[in-house]
Amino acid sequence: MLTDFFTRNLDIVFGIYGLSFFVMGIVILIQIQKRKDSSFKLSRVIGVLAGFGLSHGLNEWLEMFAIIKGHHSEVFNLIQLIVLTLSYIFLFEFGRRLILLSFPAKFLNKWVTVAFSSLVLILIVMLRYGENIWPRYFLGFPGGMLSAAGFILYYKSEENILKPLNIYRFFFTSAAAIFVYSLLGGIIVPKADFFPASVINTASFKNLFGFPVQVLRAICSVVLAWSVWKILGIFDWEMGRRLEKEKDLAVTKTRMDFIIARAAEMEKAYKNLKEMQDMLIQAEKMNAVGRLASGIAHEVKNPLGIIRQGADYLEGKLSSSPEKNVSEILGIIKDNIKRADNIVNTLVDFSRASKLEKKPEDINSILESSLILIQHRAMLEDIRIIRELGRNLPNVSVDKSKMEQVFINIFLNAIQAMPRGGNLFLRTYQARLSEPKNSAARRGEDYFFAGENVLIVEIEDTGTGIPEENLKKIFDPFFTTKEPGQGTGLGLSVTENILNMHKGLIEIESKEGKGTKVIITLKISDGGQDG
Amino acid sequence: MDKKKVLIIDDEDDYLKITKLNLEETNNYEVMTLLSAKDIIPGIHSFKPDIILLDMLMPSVGGVEACEMLNEDQFGSRIPIIVVSALDKNADRLKAYKAGVVDYISKPAGKNELIAKIEKALQYK
């Protein structure tokens, strides 16, 4: 019954048989196109199995075609023989390469395939009979065995990855299917008059089991195609894992970006805080110095008062003394009382955070009134004062006497920098800032912003200049390059302090041997209400 | 010409001694000194000064308090006062002027400055 059915419908069996191999080949080709960069070594050889699937599928379809047409022409037989041989060469080559992936079998080099193929070719050409038996014996059977062993070995070599995956069992079903198939297709051959084909052949199989061997071969081909299709799932799994990794990486990168951004923010905040802290410390220091200075001032000025009165008394008594040193020494005493008094006064000025008495003032007149006090000395030192003062300048809201103190300080420094005379340039002009200006110790709201209209005062001398290493320190309290007794080192510190109180800015540019330029930037008066 | 009587009140003994010498040396002044302002009222009544030189910062009774005491005294309120102090903040000056002093001299001041200001103050007496 079953025998009759299969015998009558052998074309259908061959159809399914061929289709499953063909589908396997197509599926493999599609997969390897997508998985060129897979880390599974299987991807390197699976293409050869596709070659087997496609060519062997074609072979079965040719068989089906022959059954349907019912004739076997010479050309047709030749084509079928070529296709069959080729498909088994693919199978042999696949098995050989699959084993080499996990087992370094040196003897299984490409010449083995060449040798077996050549043997088959020679047998076909020389013997001229049993043509499609030779490829089955010498390529199909060993090729199937190699492939079956290859699947097992490959699984073993990648067991740690494959074991946890459900896919792993399909290596065994593949191995089993190809093993059985190699027996059914490679040993059970068409009947021939030589051993073993004379005994073990398709006819004897049919007699023994009652159905054609092609039925089992077809089942094997379906199982193999299905198993291989499942095995190809490892590439999908790998792809999924990669995507996950990439996603993880993307998440990590986003997190890193976030952390970096936060770190930058924190750093900025820390910097601001540090600046603020420095400012507070500075303010606290100034406060302390202020209190100390006031105390010191009182305590020092009292004895100075006594010494001064004493010196005056002695002067009255000794002015007629024949000793000429007496009056000189009294003069020195008085000068030094004045010097000590000056130091104390500057210290008090420096530390005194007195409230400014700001009024809208004409900066040129302040410069002029400051000049009165130093003009005489400048003349003596052979210094020419060159005015390049702007006309119709807007008023600035300043404390006049404090600004005079600022200018006098700068003038005196300039004069001291020009011991052999020179030029003192005074420039005033209005400017629009192209970029914001500030100094480290300033508060944000006091910054000059880009585009702001400001008043600039430049005081430039042609003196000795300031060495670069000193430029950074010139605003530090008590920093001085003058001989002891010539300066307190507070002048520029007081100057900067006064300008800070005015929300103004002082900058110094200097070149040794060329001179120094002091640039003062002031906010333009808004009616004197900003103090 | 009658010598003008100058009362100097300061907590610095040395200062009093030398300033007294400086003023008396001119032969224009008769000087009395007090180390504390707390005896200022009996002092002016016994000495009858034409002018008072007053320190600001003194223990127990300060310059401003001394001024107030003088202002409350019929005789004392007519004596011109010059402050001679080591304090020279504007606020200190303002306090002194508000208390009724005619002038304010910062220490260390020389003999000539002292005399010039005394003479000027006496003109307005």
Side-chain angles (χ1 to χ4, degrees):
Chain A
M1 175 76 186
L2 198 67
T3 315
D4 289 347
F5 173 80
F6 281 120
T7 311
R8 268 187 275 116
N9 299 294
L10 207 56
D11 49 349
I12 296 174
V13 173
F14 277 112
I16 295 168
Y17 183 5
L19 183 70
S20 58
F21 275 134
F22 207 79
V23 167
M24 182 182 84
I26 295 291
V27 168
I28 291 171
L29 284 182
I30 291 169
Q31 276 287 14
I32 58 169
Q33 274 303 309
K34 292 190 288 181
R35 306 288 182 257
K36 278 178 182 160
D37 58 345
S38 172
S39 60
F40 284 113
K41 288 183 280 181
L42 186 65
S43 65
R44 295 183 214 158
V45 303
I46 198 83
V48 186
L49 188 65
F52 166 73
L54 293 174
S55 55
H56 207 68
L58 180 64
N59 171 64
E60 306 313 335
W61 281 347
L62 288 174
E63 198 72 46
M64 175 183 75
F65 183 74
I67 292 166
I68 293 166
K69 284 282 178 189
H71 67 86
H72 293 256
S73 73
E74 282 292 314
V75 177
F76 188 87
N77 283 347
L78 184 64
I79 291 171
Q80 216 186 342
L81 179 65
I82 291 169
V83 172
L84 178 77
T85 309
L86 192 67
S87 74
Y88 281 139
I89 291 173
F90 273 123
L91 183 63
F92 191 95
E93 181 64 7
F94 169 71
R96 186 186 73 82
R97 290 193 189 183
L98 187 59
I99 284 180
L100 287 178
L101 287 184
S102 44
F103 186 72
K106 275 187 186 166
F107 59 90
L108 275 181
N109 55 42
K110 63 183 173 189
W111 297 110
V112 177
T113 307
V114 173
F116 275 75
S117 304
S118 307
L119 173 69
V120 168
L121 201 66
I122 290 163
L123 287 169
I124 290 170
V125 174
M126 299 284 281
L127 299 175
R128 304 284 308 159
Y129 65 85
E131 292 96 334
N132 70 8
I133 292 171
W134 308 122
R136 288 177 188 276
Y137 277 170
F138 296 108
L139 286 170
F141 175 68
M145 291 296 156
L146 287 174
S147 299
F151 275 121
I152 303 294
L153 288 171
Y154 185 81
Y155 165 74
K156 282 282 166 201
S157 72
E158 303 249 25
E159 192 169 14
N160 54 341
I161 300 174
L162 297 173
K163 188 86 186 271
L165 304 175
N166 282 335
I167 293 161
Y168 80 95
R169 66 179 84 116
F170 296 106
F171 281 87
F172 294 103
T173 53
S174 294
I178 201 115
F179 175 78
V180 175
Y181 185 78
S182 67
L183 291 175
L184 298 174
I187 300 299
I188 299 163
V189 295
K191 192 175 177 184
D193 55 0
F194 55 88
F195 186 81
S198 56
V199 179
I200 304 167
N201 53 48
T202 51
S204 59
F205 182 91
K206 199 176 165 186
N207 287 336
L208 192 64
F209 295 102
F211 60 90
V213 70
Q214 285 84 355
V215 175
L216 274 187
R217 285 189 198 164
I219 292 168
C220 281
S221 76
V222 171
V223 173
L224 179 66
W226 177 67
S227 301
V228 167
W229 176 60
K230 285 290 188 185
I231 284 173
L232 293 173
I234 61 172
F235 298 116
D236 286 331
W237 170 82
E238 184 186 34
M239 179 64 107
R241 205 177 55 161
R242 267 191 206 175
L243 285 176
E244 235 166 64
K245 266 189 191 165
E246 271 165 29
K247 208 173 101 191
D248 279 357
L249 269 177
V251 169
T252 311
K253 194 177 176 296
T254 313
R255 274 195 203 139
M256 283 301 287
D257 287 349
F258 177 74
I259 289 166
I260 290 166
R262 286 287 294 165
E265 266 172 41
M266 293 290 282
E267 200 178 339
K268 205 174 149 193
Y270 174 76
K271 221 177 124 193
N272 284 345
L273 201 66
K274 189 87 180 63
E275 268 173 25
M276 194 82 83
Q277 193 190 27
D278 288 349
M279 230 173 63
L280 285 173
I281 290 170
Q282 186 64 12
E284 188 46 49
K285 269 190 201 161
M286 293 305 290
N287 211 337
V289 171
R291 286 194 299 267
L292 193 65
S294 296
I296 288 171
H298 183 259
E299 293 311 310
V300 172
K301 277 167 181 276
N302 266 323
L304 285 179
I306 297 166
I307 297 166
R308 178 61 207 253
Q309 288 292 332
D312 282 352
Y313 178 78
L314 289 178
E315 195 175 33
K317 288 286 163 198
L318 300 172
S319 59
S320 52
S321 165
E323 181 65 61
K324 68 174 173 126
N325 285 341
V326 169
S327 61
E328 194 189 335
I329 288 168
L330 282 170
I332 292 171
I333 291 173
K334 281 196 202 170
D335 283 349
N336 279 282
I337 292 168
K338 208 170 167 198
R339 188 180 136 201
D341 190 39
N342 279 341
I343 292 174
V344 171
N345 285 339
T346 324
L347 192 67
V348 173
D349 277 348
F350 170 70
S351 57
R352 189 180 288 166
S354 61
K355 226 174 143 55
L356 297 177
E357 287 165 26
K358 283 179 18 178
K359 272 188 286 183
E361 303 274 4
D362 174 34
I363 200 77
N364 289 346
S365 345
I366 299 179
L367 273 171
E368 288 297 346
S369 61
S370 315
L371 275 174
I372 293 169
L373 290 165
I374 59 113
Q375 251 166 354
H376 182 68
R377 203 172 144 192
M379 211 174 67
L380 287 177
E381 305 263 351
D382 200 18
I383 290 164
R384 214 155 63 98
I385 294 164
I386 300 159
R387 295 173 176 80
E388 296 170 5
L389 305 179
R391 285 184 186 180
N392 303 322
L393 292 176
N395 282 341
V396 279
S397 178
V398 292
D399 183 317
K400 191 179 173 196
S401 64
K402 291 269 188 277
M403 284 309 292
E404 282 175 350
Q405 201 182 335
V406 164
F407 292 141
I408 291 166
N409 258 332
I410 297 167
F411 292 157
L412 289 176
N413 282 339
I415 290 169
Q416 276 169 344
M418 295 186 281
R420 282 188 294 270
N423 291 333
L424 181 65
F425 295 92
L426 308 182
R427 297 185 198 99
T428 53
Y429 56 91
Q430 202 180 335
R432 188 180 284 276
L433 293 178
S434 58
E435 53 188 34
K437 267 191 175 184
N438 60 68
S439 70
R442 295 168 65 78
R443 288 180 310 218
E445 66 262 32
D446 295 349
Y447 290 168
F448 289 100
F449 53 86
E452 184 169 350
N453 249 326
V454 293
L455 202 107
I456 309 270
V457 181
E458 283 182 13
I459 300 163
E460 188 174 0
D461 66 55
T462 53
T464 49
I466 305 162
E468 210 181 321
E469 67 266 24
N470 288 347
L471 259 179
K472 282 182 193 163
K473 294 185 268 182
I474 49 176
F475 292 114
D476 292 351
F478 304 107
F479 176 77
T480 183
T481 55
K482 292 169 190 165
E483 292 289 313
Q486 295 297 303
T488 56
L490 287 169
L492 275 177
S493 221
V494 173
T495 300
E496 193 191 28
N497 213 16
I498 292 171
L499 285 168
N500 274 341
M501 284 159 69
H502 281 93
K503 299 180 179 180
L505 190 65
I506 181 167
E507 295 159 288
I508 295 189
E509 293 170 2
S510 188
K511 263 202 178 133
E512 265 192 284
K514 297 259 178 184
T516 300
K517 192 203 277 190
V518 179
I519 305 152
I520 292 169
T521 310
L522 292 168
K523 286 195 178 277
I524 286 170
S525 169
D526 53 2
Q529 300 301 307
D530 62 342
Chain B
M1 198 179 91
D2 281 348
K3 284 185 182 176
K4 297 290 179 188
K5 289 183 165 183
V6 182
L7 173 62
I8 311 176
I9 307 157
D10 200 300
D11 59 330
E12 294 269 359
D13 199 16
D14 291 342
Y15 182 78
L16 290 176
K17 199 184 284 172
I18 298 173
T19 311
K20 183 178 157 76
L21 280 173
N22 269 334
L23 293 181
E24 285 182 344
E25 193 194 35
T26 62
N27 287 321
N28 292 330
Y29 307 103
E30 186 188 336
V31 177
M32 184 178 121
T33 59
L34 283 175
L35 258 172
S36 165
K38 72 175 186 263
D39 302 326
I40 191 166
I41 299 301
I44 57 166
H45 285 290
S46 64
F47 182 60
K48 308 268 185 229
D50 295 295
I51 191 161
I52 299 172
L53 301 185
L54 181 66
D55 190 15
M56 283 290 272
L57 200 67
M58 289 181 290
S60 72
V61 180
V64 174
E65 275 174 89
C67 285
E68 283 163 0
M69 284 159 73
L70 288 169
N71 287 339
E72 282 166 16
D73 187 272
Q74 206 187 0
F75 172 66
S77 63
R78 293 202 304 252
I79 311 169
I81 307 162
I82 297 175
V83 166
V84 185
S85 174
L87 299 176
D88 75 341
K89 283 188 203 161
N90 284 340
D92 299 321
R93 285 168 187 267
L94 209 63
K95 246 190 262 175
Y97 284 122
K98 275 183 181 165
V101 310
V102 297
D103 212 338
Y104 195 108
I105 301 170
S106 296
K107 285 180 186 171
K111 170 182 153 187
N112 295 339
E113 186 184 353
L114 215 56
I115 290 169
K117 294 215 165 171
I118 290 172
E119 287 305 313
K120 200 176 153 200
L122 285 173
Q123 278 174 14
Y124 296 114
K125 198 196 168 189

